[in-house]
């Protein structure tokens, strides 16, 4: 990254400026307040359940960061949400409201499991990249459909992407109850993938796998794409002001198609990672709403890759922290949903007030 | 001895950022029966002053005296209760509602029953001289009629003081005349009227009182009678600006054909006639003005020249084209905020938006920020864009500075044609003169300039030839010295029949 360091001196104009704008609008502050407030409310709820908030907090922090295993779990939980968040943000930055990361993730998982279970084991280490790429392709093609429908027929992408999520979810259900269910099995899951197709574990004694690294590297690449490539600046111009971009010759349709290909591919790899790094099979309901979480992560992170990493980490920590709450203090895991839902509520409320107050 | 003021703003001071007052100790008085014009450069603080009076901002110091009594406007609701109405530059109507529904929505409960039937509303509107169809959906109305709805809202709320922020920038000359007739009527009924405008002719012709603000300070406030446009300009900018400075061509015959439209047609829409079998040529070294009432094909003409529209029939040929077939043209679009700029990207990117993927600004798909910044700084200096640097967004700049960015980009295009559409809309006189000057210089330097505007004065000053559009066709062509009457007749289709 030495190249980017030399550029700091001349300034990353748009990057710094946009960050400054968000700061001056108090966005970062608002997000921090939203998170702090949700943590406080979450602990209050626990207090109401008769648990000492301080004890709960320490159990959670321990469960999320207290040991190597805890950190590994947190990162494993972060990974799919980061991938879907990145998928959502690249499309939204181009002005295309892709709410379909969940479906693209499902298809990506299908794309990964097919080669990982069916190709001859003799391919050896090639199986992993083939499965990942296949997941990316499945996700990308799934993401391309709403883009094509929009450009060709003007179909509203919000509705199409949202509905296609359910098609994706039920498609996986069909596959694992039918064609992909091993003969004689009663479980709604595919056969186990080849060992060579599994994502390598990174830290002995933890579940941490290479997928977490793939997710963070994807975030860095996306940041580079958005702020340091001509593609990224055109994509942002088209998203912010399509009419101005069009008059300066930016090919809006091509930009939307490419951003949706990238978006679908990222979500698809997210699904592939779940199969290749966590479950080692395709399982019905393997995604606990990762796609929808990802949308929340993207928006809470201000549609910035770095913001997405931070918020996804928070979501991951809440996930592993509340599992600890459940096992140590027998607190229902629904707490996790409350804790990750609250920041969105707070953020929306605070922003809503700001909007009403700031109205000219 | 003039009558006592109806309302006085006393010693208003307001700073959005500490230490940089936008308004500095401004005192002005508005009287019943008068049209009071407020003048000033872009960013002088005019809108801020009206917004404070209307309760949208609180002054840091100073106050409001209503018939000698001190009042405080914490919100627009307070101002409305004190019988103040405001017509904003960007309307505050519900676009999907009918005129009648919008009016009922704005009316206080006590008055609402009297607006129950559409016929009541139509009658009321007629009584103010503001005839309108109560059943019309607001979004389908032209801007001049939407403005009427806003005025009616104020009058239904029994406003005694009506504020207008740049009401005429969206109107064509005929609509402007009709608008001031309405204002005179409103004032004659004993109300006070305040108008912010950049058009000095309107002040001289219609206002009784004028106040000039320069960089937040009140420079003058007094009767209009006996003052000339030049006096106001001096107060506004602090030095003389020659408003009738010649914008002449070089005197040489125009050169080669740079752009030619042959028999182009574009389908009509509800708000526009489209284009019907129209031809036009543009030559090096000339400014060709396109005059006409809005909606007679100007927008389609601009979009064709920009390559953003393909004609249903006919051809558009430019001397040079982009790789994707669009004509190579420097563009100054009509809508500065939506079409001219990407308001949330930095000035540097906006200045080079048309070249952002070319060397040296990009290499192998990678942005070269150093080259972008260096070139943008150069362009900013040459065009005198007043901003801290090129890394801020144009959103926070005044209209004049925003337009300088758009024009600088158009000039920086490797094109021998420049097409501009309403290039001085919303700009103060000095900024407008500057834009006209630059366009004339571009033509004199050998470029071809297509100048589309609804401001006939400007067209007449800058153009070598004037082509008049009516119902989607070029119905006439006159040279730059033609009379206003001759052009006006063609604009309404008079000479075409
Ligand atoms: N809400 C705000 N926050 C910060 N600065 C503001 C705000 N509103 C206006 N300003 C600044 O205050 C100054 C005066 O703005 P104002 O809109 O009153 O100018 P104006 O005279 O109406 O100009 P124009 O002719 O361009 O409409 C400008 O420098 C503007 O940037
Ligand atoms: Mg203003």
């Amino acid at each position: 990254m030495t190249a980017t360091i030399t550029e700091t001196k001349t300034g990353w104009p748009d990057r710094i400026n946009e960050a400054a704008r968000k700061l001056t609008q108090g966005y970062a502050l608002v997000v921090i307040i939203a998170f702090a407030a949700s943590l406080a409310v979450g602990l209050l709820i626990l207090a109401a359940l008769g648990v000492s908030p301080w004890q709960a907090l320490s159990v959670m922090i321990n469960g999320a960061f207290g040991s190597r295993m805890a950190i590994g779990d947190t990162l494993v939980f972060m990974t799919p949400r980061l991938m879907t968040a990145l998928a959502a943000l690249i499309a939204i930055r181009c002005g295309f409201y892709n709410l379909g990361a969940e479906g693209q993730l499902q298809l990506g998982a299908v794309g990964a499991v097919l080669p990982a279970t069916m190709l001859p084991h003799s391919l050896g280490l090639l199986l992993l990249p083939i499965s990942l790429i296949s997941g990316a392709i499945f996700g990308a093609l799934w993401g391309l459909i709403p883009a094509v429908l929009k450009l060709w027929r003007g179909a509203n992408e919000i509705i199409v992407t949202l509905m296609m999520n359910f098609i994706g979810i039920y498609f996986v259900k069909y596959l694992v109850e039918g064609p992909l269910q091993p003969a004689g099995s009663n479980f709604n899951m595919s056969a186990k993938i080849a060992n060579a197709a599994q994502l390598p574990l990174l830290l002995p004694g933890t579940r941490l796998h290479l997928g977490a690294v793939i997710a963070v590297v994807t975030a860095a690449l996306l940041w580079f794409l958005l702020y340091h490539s001509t593609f990224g600046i055109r994509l942002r111009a088209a998203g912010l002001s399509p009419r101005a971009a069009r008059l300066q010759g930016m090919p809006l349709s091509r930009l939307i198609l490419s951003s949706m290909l990238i978006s679908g591919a990222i979500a698809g790899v997210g699904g592939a990672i779940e199969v290749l790094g966590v479950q080692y099979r395709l399982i019905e309901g393997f995604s606990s709403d990762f796609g929808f979480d990802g949308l929340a992560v993207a928006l809470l992170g201000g549609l910035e890759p770095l913001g997405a990493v931070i918020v996804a980490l928070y979501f991951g920590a809440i996930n592993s922290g509340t599992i600890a709450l459940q096992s140590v203090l027998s607190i229902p895991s629904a707490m996790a949903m409350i804790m990750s839902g609250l920041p969105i509520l707070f953020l929306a409320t605070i922003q809503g007030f700001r909007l009403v107050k700031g109205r000219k | 001895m003039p009558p006592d003021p109806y309302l006085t703003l006393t010693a208003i001071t307001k700073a959005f950022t500490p230490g940089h007052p936008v308004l500095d100790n401004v005192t002005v008085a508005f009287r019943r029966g008068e049209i009071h014009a407020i003048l000033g450069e872009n960013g002088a603080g005019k809108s801020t002053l009206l917004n404070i009076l209307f309760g949208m901002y609180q002054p840091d110091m100073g106050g409001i005296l209503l018939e000698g009594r001190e009042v405080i406007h914490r919100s627009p609701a307070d101002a409305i209760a004190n019988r103040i109405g405001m017509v904003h530059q960007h309307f505050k109507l519900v676009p999907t509602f009918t005129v009648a529904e919008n009016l009922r929505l704005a009316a206080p409960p006590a008055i609402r029953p009297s607006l129950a039937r559409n016929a009541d509303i139509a009658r009321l509107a007629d009584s103010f001289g503001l005839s309108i169809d109560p059943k019309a959906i607001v979004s389908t109305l032209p801007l001049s009629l939407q403005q009427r709805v806003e005025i009616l809202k104020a009058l239904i709320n029994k406003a005694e003081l009506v504020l207008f922020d740049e009401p005429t920038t969206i109107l064509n000359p005929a609509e402007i005349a009709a608008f001031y007739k309405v204002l005179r009527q409103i004032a004659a009924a004993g109300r006070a009227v305040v108008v912010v405008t950049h058009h000095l002719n309107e002040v001289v012709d219609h206002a009784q009182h004028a106040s000039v603000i320069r960089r937040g300070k009140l420079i003058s406030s007094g009767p209009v009678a006996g003052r000339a446009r030049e006096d106001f300009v001096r107060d506004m900018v602090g030095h003389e600006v020659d408003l009738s400075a010649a914008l002449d061509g070089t005197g040489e015959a125009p050169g080669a054909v740079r752009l030619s439209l042959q028999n182009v047609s574009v389908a009509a829409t509800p708000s526009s006639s489209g284009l019907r079998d129209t031809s036009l040529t543009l030559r090096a070294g000339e400014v060709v003005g396109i005059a006409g009432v809005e909606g007679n094909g100007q927008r389609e003409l601009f979009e064709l020249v920009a390559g953003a529209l393909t004609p249903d029939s006919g051809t558009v040929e430019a001397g040079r084209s982009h790789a994707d077939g669009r004509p190579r043209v420097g563009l100054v679009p009509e809508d500065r905020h939506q079409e001219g700029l990407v308001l949330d990207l930095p000035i540097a990117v906006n200045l080079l938006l048309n070249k952002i993927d070319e060397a040296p600004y990009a290499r192998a798909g990678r942005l070269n920020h150093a080259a972008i910044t260096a070139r943008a700084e150069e362009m900013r200096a040459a065009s005198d864009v007043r901003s801290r640097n090129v890394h801020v967004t144009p959103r926070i700049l005044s209209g004049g500075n925003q337009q300088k960015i758009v024009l600088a980009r158009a000039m920086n295009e490797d094109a021998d044609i420049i097409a501009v559409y309403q290039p001085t809309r919303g700009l103060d006189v000095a900024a407008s003169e500057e834009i006209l000057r630059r366009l004339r210089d571009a033509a004199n330097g050998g470029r071809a300039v297509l100048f589309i505007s609804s401001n006939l004065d400007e067209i007449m000053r800058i153009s070598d030839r004037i082509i008049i559009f009516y119902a989607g066709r070029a119905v006439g062509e006159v040279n730059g010295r033609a009379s206003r009457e001759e052009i006006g007749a063609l604009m309404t289709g008079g000479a075409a029949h």
Side-chain angles (χ1 to χ4, degrees), chain A residues 178-242:
Chain A
L180 290 187
Q181 196 175 41
S185 160
N186 284 326
F187 298 105
N188 287 349
M189 53 174 67
S190 72
K192 194 158 185 273
I193 62 173
N195 283 342
Q198 295 181 4
L199 283 164
L201 294 174
L202 297 182
L203 273 179
T206 72
R207 298 198 300 140
L208 184 63
H209 55 76
L210 190 65
V213 177
I214 295 179
V216 174
V217 169
T218 306
L221 287 176
L222 217 51
W223 169 80
F224 186 85
L225 192 74
L226 278 175
Y227 292 103
H228 292 277
S229 75
T230 54
F231 174 74
I233 201 127
R234 294 161 133 226
L235 181 143
R236 286 188 295 144
L240 288 167
S241 186

Side-chain angles (χ1 to χ4, degrees), chain B residues 96-372:
Chain B
T96 50
F97 278 16
T98 64
V99 170
E101 287 163 345
N102 267 288
L103 292 176
R104 287 188 199 115
L105 191 67
I111 299 175
R112 231 170 266 158
S114 68
L115 303 174
R117 292 177 310 135
N118 285 351
D120 300 332
I121 289 180
R123 197 164 344 100
L124 191 74
D126 286 344
S127 74
F128 291 122
L130 291 164
S131 304
I132 196 157
D133 174 10
K135 295 188 301 298
I137 305 279
V138 161
S139 63
T140 66
L141 291 175
L143 291 175
S144 60
L145 289 184
Q146 295 189 20
Q147 188 178 57
R148 271 190 186 196
V149 182
E150 285 283 14
I151 301 175
L152 279 169
K153 263 166 68 175
L155 295 178
I156 283 174
N157 278 310
K158 302 214 185 305
E160 292 294 320
L161 170 66
V162 192
L163 311 172
F164 292 89
D165 197 355
E166 297 195 35
T168 55
T169 38
I170 50 154
L171 302 180
N172 67 42
E175 290 167 343
I176 291 176
F179 172 78
Y180 276 102
K181 201 167 149 225
V182 169
L183 284 206
R184 272 200 299 279
Q185 221 172 332
I186 294 176
R191 298 185 186 88
V193 174
V194 179
V195 178
V196 171
T197 181
H198 290 298
H199 299 143
L200 298 170
N201 290 341
E202 295 173 9
V203 180
V204 174
D205 293 349
H206 303 290
Q208 285 80 52
H209 200 102
S211 301
V212 180
I213 301 176
R214 188 201 310 157
R215 303 198 180 165
K217 291 203 170 66
L218 186 75
I219 302 297
S220 64
S221 184
V224 171
R227 299 198 75 193
R229 294 197 310 160
E230 287 70 19
D231 299 336
F232 293 123
V233 176
R234 200 180 329 103
D235 286 352
M236 281 166 62
V237 299
H239 56 86
E240 305 281 341
V241 174
D242 188 355
L243 292 182
S244 43
L247 292 167
D248 288 339
T250 55
E252 289 165 32
V257 172
R258 296 295 191 205
L259 178 77
S260 119
L261 277 69
Q262 291 296 325
N263 306 95
V264 290
S265 295
V266 173
T269 65
S271 59
S272 164
S273 62
L275 287 173
R276 294 189 299 152
D277 196 19
T278 289
S279 301
L280 180 148
T281 54
L282 200 59
R283 292 170 174 278
E286 65 175 354
V287 177
V288 173
I290 304 293
V293 176
E294 267 303 285
N296 278 282
Q298 293 96 326
R299 169 151 281 275
E300 288 82 358
L301 175 65
F302 182 83
E303 296 212 333
L304 280 180
V305 173
L309 189 69
T310 31
D312 298 336
S313 63
T315 57
V316 180
E317 271 174 50
R320 297 162 63 196
S321 300
H322 290 280
D324 58 5
R326 287 175 305 125
R328 244 183 208 283
V329 179
L331 296 170
V332 178
E334 178 185 26
D335 187 334
R336 198 172 304 146
H337 290 176
Q338 305 284 335
E339 299 175 319
L341 296 166
V342 183
L343 285 176
D344 291 318
L345 286 181
I347 291 172
V349 175
N350 273 285
L351 279 168
L352 293 164
L353 203 57
N354 53 342
K355 301 197 160 181
I356 206 80
D357 52 0
E358 294 171 11
Y361 314 115
R363 288 223 171 78
R366 240 194 101 168
L367 293 176
N368 180 349
H369 292 299
I372 293 172

